[in-house]
Amino acid sequence: MILSIESSCDDSSIAITNIEDNKLIFHKKISQEKEHACYGGVVPELASRLHAIDLPNILEETKPYLNKLKAVAVTNQPGLGVTLLEGIAMAKTIAVVQDIPLLAVHHLKGHIYSLFIEKEAIVPLLVLLISGGHTQIIRVEGLEKMTILATSIDDSVGESFDKTAKMMGLGYPGGPIIEKLALNGDENRFKLPVPLRNSPLIAFSLSGLKNAVRLTIERLGGDEGMSHQDQCDLSASFQKAVKLHLIQKSKKVFATEPIKDFAIVGGSSANIYIRKAYEELCKEFGKTLHTAPLEYCSDNAAMIGRYAVEAFKKEMFIDPYQIDIVSNKKRQSGTEL
Ligand code: KG4
Ligand code: ZN
């Protein structure tokens, strides 16, 4: 079995995965959303302190499995430095004390492997990753060959949902709040710009849309001047603009990428409205759409464990005395993840 730890942002999570059949033996996640809600976003220092409390509490529950471990895995990039270090400290301690190998897992590769929890992996695969930190289309040809085909030049999709909710004086995370309000909204009431609509760039951009949302809120009298219907209509109009942007740029990638299997992963892939749009797009292009179960879209250790099973088989181990966080480099389109 492999014990995996995730602490890259505001979720403390530990999983235990069976190496032989990918079976998830144990999985627990403690989310800090409530603690960060009043700030409208994640406060790194607070997140790190909460991991220091929650991770050991979860680890306590894994005691029955500790003598069956063949390896321990931990997210070491990308993410918040101070929160990644909490998971890393725990993982390297287990590796040294139990004398088992350590695996360092790239969080975004973990999101991709959320598709394969308790399943066999599908490769090659085209993936749209939409999370709180990233918006990318990635060509996955193997564990070590993942190429970024398109990326955001500014904000990410999840971040734009969070900021839109924050500007309307709603809670955090914004994604589920906006999606729910949009169900009762008129998506055609506000004419928001579809980002990079007339640009040949195969890239994503969300900051201009965010600014248009801000100006609309100001015209409506600020967050306190908005009625509930205004909130619903703006949520729906915003979500529609995000969808049109994602679909337009994905079409450009689809036009040149023959890979038949396509997937959406990351926190924002839980959005049913966006999923539906991709179901139609995949039908049009003859592709098969894959998504992770809703519970594994946002950050979790089960996806880190699933990737770690593959990495274990390739013996991609790291010296516990050498493991460190990897600084967040902005990776360009055409480069490896
Ligand atoms: O993947 P994730 O848990 O963390 C990162 O790796 O960043 O993604 C969190 C993001 C948040 O920005 C949250 O607002 C967004 O996922 N999210 C959603 C939905 N549920 C979560 N965005 C749109 N619609 C949703 N239903
Ligand atoms: Zn994530």
Side-chain angles (χ1 to χ4, degrees):
M1 294 175 187
I2 295 180
L3 182 143
S4 53
I5 304 171
E6 161 61 36
S7 69
S8 66
C9 192
D10 59 344
D11 294 293
S12 311
S13 182
I14 298 181
I16 294 189
T17 309
N18 219 20
I19 296 168
E20 209 164 84
D21 56 6
N22 303 317
K23 200 166 165 33
L24 193 57
I25 307 291
F26 172 91
H27 181 230
K28 185 157 178 180
K29 155 167 153 169
I30 299 178
S31 180
Q32 309 170 356
E33 283 167 1
K34 279 199 194 82
E35 284 86 349
H36 296 286
C38 59
Y39 303 103
V42 177
V43 180
E45 180 69 23
L46 173 62
S48 149
R49 283 162 183 247
L50 292 169
H51 286 306
I53 297 167
D54 294 334
L55 284 175
N57 280 333
I58 304 176
L59 187 67
E60 184 83 27
E61 295 182 38
T62 66
K63 269 186 179 163
Y65 310 105
L66 291 186
N67 62 353
K68 299 191 178 88
L69 298 182
K70 288 273 178 285
V72 54
V74 64
T75 307
N76 76 328
Q77 64 166 313
L80 302 169
V82 288
T83 65
L84 287 167
L85 282 172
E86 292 295 335
I88 289 175
M90 177 173 272
K92 67 201 238 186
T93 306
I94 297 172
V96 171
V97 171
Q98 300 279 100
D99 195 21
I100 51 174
L102 177 63
L103 296 149
V105 180
H106 191 296
H107 180 77
L108 304 186
K109 294 181 181 175
H111 271 301
I112 293 171
Y113 274 73
S114 67
L115 296 162
F116 311 132
I117 293 169
E118 304 207 303
K119 283 188 190 163
E120 285 304 315
I122 297 168
V123 179
L125 182 72
L126 271 184
V127 178
L128 171 72
L129 185 145
I130 38 177
S131 71
H134 296 82
T135 300
Q136 296 180 339
I137 296 181
I138 303 156
R139 190 203 295 122
V140 180
E141 290 167 281
L143 209 55
E144 290 152 281
K145 186 137 180 63
M146 302 194 187
T147 313
I148 300 169
L149 302 178
T151 189
S152 175
I153 52 178
D154 42 59
D155 293 354
S156 70
V157 166
E159 198 178 355
S160 72
F161 274 86
D162 293 339
K163 287 183 178 165
T164 295
K166 188 176 179 182
M167 287 188 284
M168 287 199 279
L170 307 169
Y172 169 85
I177 300 171
I178 299 287
E179 183 179 13
K180 194 162 170 227
L181 288 174
L183 290 174
N184 297 314
D186 172 4
E187 64 177 22
N188 298 316
R189 175 165 163 207
F190 300 105
K191 301 278 170 275
L192 297 172
V194 176
L196 304 177
R197 179 178 229 160
N198 299 314
S199 162
L201 268 185
I202 303 183
F204 301 104
S205 168
L206 278 308
S207 69
L209 175 59
K210 175 184 71 187
N211 210 32
V213 168
R214 185 179 61 76
L215 293 172
T216 307
I217 293 171
E218 274 176 22
R219 272 199 302 277
L220 293 165
D223 60 336
E224 289 179 357
M226 290 176 80
S227 67
H228 180 69
Q229 197 54 52
D230 289 339
Q231 291 177 341
C232 293
D233 293 345
L234 186 54
S235 295
S237 304
F238 160 77
Q239 196 175 244
K240 180 185 175 192
V242 173
K243 173 195 80 175
L244 292 175
H245 176 43
L246 290 174
I247 293 288
Q248 193 205 5
K249 297 304 176 186
S250 300
K251 269 187 181 173
K252 286 189 187 288
V253 175
F254 280 16
T256 57
E257 286 292 328
I259 297 172
K260 280 266 172 280
D261 290 290
F262 174 76
I264 335 173
V265 300
S268 296
S269 74
N271 186 295
I272 303 298
Y273 177 83
I274 293 176
R275 281 188 179 205
K276 282 199 178 130
Y278 274 95
E279 275 167 20
E280 282 165 30
L281 186 72
C282 284
K283 220 181 267 170
E284 184 187 332
F285 280 80
K287 295 198 189 289
T288 306
L289 178 65
H290 303 269
T291 48
L294 290 182
E295 62 185 308
Y296 300 128
C297 290
S298 59
D299 293 349
N300 65 83
M303 66 188 197
I304 303 303
R306 182 62 189 88
Y307 178 89
V309 166
E310 305 291 333
F312 177 85
K313 289 176 183 164
K314 294 193 172 227
E315 299 187 6
M316 293 160 66
F317 305 132
I318 184 165
D319 180 347
Y321 295 98
Q322 298 294 324
I323 188 173
D324 201 354
I325 55 170
V326 177
S327 63
N328 295 341
K329 273 186 247 142
K330 207 158 172 70
R331 299 204 197 271
Q332 304 298 319
S333 168
T335 62
E336 291 298 306
L337 191 64

